[in-house]
Amino acid sequence: MAPSVVTYTLDRLADLGIGHVFGVPGDYAFPINDAVEVHPRLTWVPSANELNAAYAADGYARRRGAGIVCTTYGVGELSALNGLMGAMAERLPVFHLVGTPSLRIVRQGLICHHTLGDRNYERFEAISASASCVSARLTPENAVIELERVIDKALEESRPAYLTFPMDLALMPITGTPIQGSPLGVIDQHDSVAGELEAVLDLLMARIAAASRPMVLPTVTLKRFGLVSAFEAFLKASGLSYATTPMDKALLSEEHPAFLGMYNGGRSTPAALRNVVEDADLLIDLGGLVLEDLNTGLWSGSLDPKRIIALHADWVQAGDRVFTSVSISDVLAGLTQRFQHSPKRLSSWGEQRPVQPAPFLPLSGAADQRTDSAVFYPRLQQFLRPTDLLVSDTGTCLLKLNAIRLPAGVSMESQTLWGSIGWGTPAALGCALAEPERRVVLVTGDGAHQLTAQEIGVMGFTGVNPVVIVLNNGLHGIEALISETGHAYNDLPPWRFADLPAALGCSGWWCGRAGTVAELEQAFAAINAHQGAAYLEVLIPAEESQPLAEDVIETMHQTMTPQSV
């Protein structure tokens, strides 16, 4: 007997290697909920709300390659939109499964709940579809062919997909022959057009040979398409050096011999890296740099477009020359092969690095000194293990973490472009479920954490073992930085953060609070000795969050009338 529409959909998505579904049950989504519950390869994760579910699926997709979030019609799907828009911005294939009223209800024109009472049953589809690159309403007749189109497009663009399931149709058997899919690790990008690919490779090799100061700016696009290992092979073959922007931090280990530091315009670390990047006579942009404010030191960088060859996911631009139908995976493989067969390997900048990556922060502070950022971040560097995954929430902690050098082998996830405060806690849950062999270390501020702290209970329920570090300064510190001082709307209700895991049902967690250097060092030692999850509240003075200079805030917001020269 043929599988039902919803069972077949779950089979195809599980073929990709997805093992968890994040969501909140709802009656219109019951066919999906029921099918997940009995599916042999999928586990339901009971998120506290739909926004958190979308955030968690985002984190999951970052580490597993794709994720699933399931919501009900109207009230559920709309609650997830912020998280899904973040996945759109950050290029993550999250499949959004939504149960809708049965066609029997629609055909009769019955007014049902989760609507505006106007018999417009399609009102929400356009809204939710806008947070995806592809969408479909699945039926028994179209399920097989539409799923292939949707999956192909979502993976091709590395962005979310929106699938709706009318309740009655979801339970009906599909027509047509089911397709057995492949896991993400063996799915390749579309083949390049041979003539375009060869022209790109010839251009790149010629430009690299002619350059005296070439370097590479790789982007997170390489991670999205599973090309990090291919990038590392290219570096080894070519001898080129590279720097990353904040959005692309820790693409490879920051102890990699070709790594120079983080380029962030006037806020680059080390500071000398700015001139190294901007003076390069060839910049190879691998994946498409995102020139947003927080990725360019508030647009303070100066990159000459004439010196840049930008390799996007499926097209290449070199000045006014554009090459289409060229996949970045084929370009990387082709370049590596050509360098491997070259009689002489290139070493950019000669044998001497033009700049050394930022050194590790020195330890400071007496044992009885109150904790602050100056004593916290150097000790966090020492605390991290080589296989850790560091997740930074949006806020002042992200600004500080982007600027420090990570220990060898430490990976990092953040949401630099979308920048939704509160993303970090659910995303850390998704990361932990996607890669259970890694220790996930979340650093979040108290303001961000208060938005989504319910997922701590879900962490305990699912049995993951993260290290959650909450920096408590009693206010929305990032907002205080970019506004005038003293606004009451930046103040936060005082929570007893270290008590949260127990209150939310977590058992076996190490929990504590650090307000001095001695307490912080003891806490880190205890967490490393503990075999399970941990939750640490670290007190940070509110006085640290002083407003930036007026001209910096004006650069960011640009609210004043420009003055004539």
Side-chain angles (χ1 to χ4, degrees), residues 89-91 159 216-225 227 245 247-248 251 283-292 295-296 303 308-317 328 417:
E90 305 269 334
R91 297 198 72 157
R159 286 194 165 99
V216 183
L217 291 174
T219 74
V220 74
T221 300
L222 298 177
K223 188 188 294 186
R224 301 294 183 254
F225 288 99
L227 297 174
T245 66
M247 189 172 177
D248 315 305
L251 194 66
L283 287 173
I284 302 173
D285 166 7
L286 290 180
L289 288 168
V290 178
L291 301 178
E292 62 126 353
N295 213 36
T296 58
L303 300 178
I308 299 175
I309 299 180
L311 281 64
H312 299 273
D314 56 3
W315 64 285
V316 175
Q317 182 169 13
I328 191 171
L417 177 57

Side-chain angles (χ1 to χ4, degrees), residues 217 263-266 268 273-280 283 289 291 295-308:
L217 291 174
Y263 176 71
N264 192 22
S268 298
L273 178 66
R274 177 182 183 176
N275 289 337
V276 171
V277 172
E278 295 178 4
D279 291 345
L283 287 173
L289 288 168
L291 301 178
N295 213 36
T296 58
L298 296 182
W299 307 294
S300 61
S302 180
L303 300 178
D304 184 353
K306 296 185 181 67
R307 301 180 185 178
I308 299 175

Side-chain angles (χ1 to χ4, degrees), residues 97-351:
L97 313 185
V98 178
T100 67
S102 74
L103 286 192
R104 305 181 202 281
I105 288 176
V106 173
R107 295 285 185 255
Q108 296 177 76
L110 301 176
I111 296 176
C112 55
H113 58 286
H114 300 341
T115 71
L116 303 188
D118 57 1
R119 297 184 174 86
N120 182 353
Y121 304 98
E122 299 177 4
R123 177 181 300 279
F124 310 122
E125 286 194 19
I127 300 172
S128 292
S130 69
S132 70
C133 70
V134 61
S135 63
R137 184 187 303 174
L138 296 184
T139 70
E141 297 78 19
N142 74 11
V144 173
I145 190 169
E146 281 286 76
L147 269 174
E148 297 314 301
R149 177 182 70 88
V150 167
I151 292 172
D152 184 69
K153 187 67 171 176
L155 298 183
E156 177 188 354
E157 294 200 18
S158 192
R159 286 194 165 99
Y162 173 63
L163 295 169
T164 61
F165 301 79
M167 284 188 79
D168 50 345
L169 302 188
L171 298 170
M172 295 180 183
I174 63 169
T175 60
T177 304
I179 294 174
Q180 176 69 46
S182 301
L184 281 169
V186 297
I187 296 175
D188 295 324
Q189 282 189 282
H190 291 179
D191 290 338
S192 302
V193 172
E196 297 279 309
L197 175 61
E198 288 303 309
V200 167
L201 294 175
D202 290 344
L203 171 66
L204 278 163
M205 293 300 291
R207 289 283 298 273
I208 292 171
S212 60
R213 301 183 305 279
M215 68 177 302
V216 183
L217 291 174
T219 74
V220 74
T221 300
L222 298 177
K223 188 188 294 186
R224 301 294 183 254
F225 288 99
L227 297 174
V228 173
S229 294
F231 169 57
E232 192 164 19
F234 163 70
L235 289 176
K236 182 178 180 180
S238 69
L240 292 168
S241 298
Y242 78 97
T244 59
T245 66
M247 189 172 177
D248 315 305
K249 186 174 175 64
L251 194 66
L252 294 175
S253 168
E254 294 194 345
E255 291 292 297
H256 193 283
F259 178 65
L260 300 181
M262 186 191 71
Y263 176 71
N264 192 22
R267 292 169 172 77
S268 298
T269 51
L273 178 66
R274 177 182 183 176
N275 289 337
V276 171
V277 172
E278 295 178 4
D279 291 345
D281 52 0
L282 175 63
L283 287 173
I284 302 173
D285 166 7
L286 290 180
L289 288 168
V290 178
L291 301 178
E292 62 126 353
D293 48 359
L294 299 180
N295 213 36
T296 58
L298 296 182
W299 307 294
S300 61
S302 180
L303 300 178
D304 184 353
K306 296 185 181 67
R307 301 180 185 178
I308 299 175
I309 299 180
L311 281 64
H312 299 273
D314 56 3
W315 64 285
V316 175
Q317 182 169 13
D320 57 0
R321 302 172 67 184
V322 173
F323 304 84
T324 57
S325 296
V326 180
S327 76
I328 191 171
S329 58
D330 287 342
V331 176
L332 269 178
L335 286 174
T336 301
Q337 186 176 36
R338 290 197 181 194
F339 274 116
Q340 288 171 340
H341 291 88
S342 297
K344 181 181 178 182
R345 302 289 174 85
L346 176 72
S347 181
S348 65
W349 313 95
E351 296 301 319

